[in-house]
Amino acid sequence: MAGLEGQVALVTGGSRGIGRAVVLALGGLGAKVIINYRENRIEAEVTLERLRASGGDGEVYPFDVAVESQVEAAVKKIVDRHNKIDILINNAGVTSDSLLVRLKHEDLDRVLGVNLIGTAYCTKAACKGMIRQRYGRIINLTSVVGQTGNAGQSIYAASKSGIIGFTKSMARELAARGITVNAVAPGYIQTEMTAGLASRLQEEFLRAIPLARFGTCEEVAEAVSFLAGPGAAYVTGQVISVNGGLYM
């Protein structure tokens, strides 16, 4: 895979899990990686330490993707410091699993605000510079749940499904400016969330996956890295599923 030397990448929710794996993957290809986090500075600093230990370079930037003023201020600061943002990875996401009739209003607002509206805010802020330079790569993290739906995750699924429609629309809006916009849809990935599942549920999920295992954060990061690189210059408006065959 060709390198990303000289490019600046912003990864939202980059402090742990898939976000951390993406940070390390892009840094390993030579990009300077801006690691966004909202609250967990300790984990963000751990990610930065691991990035630098592997020979990469980056910085940490705290801001809430669901607050437009914070997003705009952070993107301006990054561009003022580094002159550009070449790659945007909209990875920040939250969930609040519950049947809809039991879901609290504030939980609904937060899930949609971070996952969908936050993706729109970050894209809007970052793509302005990409339009001027006539180059950019935007990769949005959606989910297999956004493709299939899932009981008890209606709002999370709606937010992730919305990201797919947003991705395809932005791909059409920005193509003429040399900017590609794609999505990666992970299935069940080895994270803190899946590790906390009861063994019965894990076994049930594994039976539904043709490859009979959970994926790794690094496998998701490989798909993101491909879409961020020159080899994907003719790929836009697509959803790359990394799910072991769970959804085909």
Side-chain angles (χ1 to χ4, degrees):
M1 188 180 294
L4 299 173
E5 292 82 1
Q7 297 197 35
V8 178
L10 168 59
V11 180
T12 68
S15 63
R16 57 183 180 172
I18 290 172
R20 175 178 287 174
V22 170
V23 167
L24 297 176
L26 297 181
L29 293 171
K32 178 181 285 293
V33 189
I34 310 301
I35 305 162
N36 157 257
Y37 70 97
R38 184 171 71 96
E39 293 179 337
N40 202 333
R41 183 175 184 87
I42 292 175
E43 289 296 326
E45 293 287 358
V46 169
T47 301
L48 181 59
E49 289 174 8
R50 290 184 58 180
L51 174 63
R52 289 174 173 168
S54 65
D57 188 22
E59 301 168 358
V60 295
Y61 273 70
F63 62 89
D64 188 339
V65 300
V67 180
E68 187 173 22
S69 60
Q70 291 188 27
V71 173
E72 292 281 355
V75 168
K76 183 180 185 303
K77 185 176 179 181
I78 293 166
V79 173
D80 286 347
R81 181 172 173 82
H82 301 290
N83 299 315
K84 60 178 182 173
I85 294 174
D86 300 291
I87 301 164
L88 170 65
I89 313 298
N90 284 308
N91 169 72
V94 296
T95 188
S96 183
D97 297 346
S98 176
L99 296 176
L100 182 61
V101 294
R102 298 175 182 169
L103 195 67
K104 296 179 180 178
H105 180 78
E106 56 267 29
D107 294 330
L108 187 153
D109 283 351
R110 185 64 187 165
V111 171
L112 290 176
V114 172
N115 297 0
L116 183 55
I117 305 304
T119 293
Y121 284 158
C122 292
T123 300
K124 179 183 176 183
C127 78
K128 295 172 184 176
M130 294 179 180
I131 289 170
R132 287 193 295 271
Q133 69 188 22
R134 301 187 69 85
Y135 177 85
R137 297 283 187 266
I138 299 172
I139 298 103
N140 303 318
L141 271 293
T142 177
S143 168
V144 67
V145 173
Q147 298 169 310
T148 66
N150 195 34
Q153 290 189 301
S154 59
I155 301 305
Y156 178 75
S159 70
K160 291 300 187 176
S161 181
I163 287 173
I164 293 174
F166 177 79
T167 296
K168 292 178 179 292
S169 298
M170 290 310 302
R172 293 183 181 276
E173 286 190 22
L174 298 174
R177 298 290 184 167
I179 302 166
T180 64
V181 187
N182 292 287
V184 173
Y188 291 105
I189 306 300
Q190 292 173 355
T191 63
E192 292 179 5
M193 182 180 72
T194 54
L197 293 173
S199 58
R200 177 184 58 80
L201 286 175
Q202 293 193 35
E203 291 170 3
E204 182 179 328
F205 291 147
L206 288 171
R207 283 195 296 271
I209 301 170
L211 288 182
R213 67 174 178 85
F214 293 141
T216 68
C217 294
E218 289 72 23
E219 287 170 326
V220 178
E222 285 290 331
V224 172
S225 296
F226 166 69
L227 293 172
Y234 201 54
V235 180
T236 197
Q238 304 304 306
V239 180
I240 308 299
S241 294
V242 185
N243 63 29
L246 178 62
Y247 172 78
M248 301 185 189

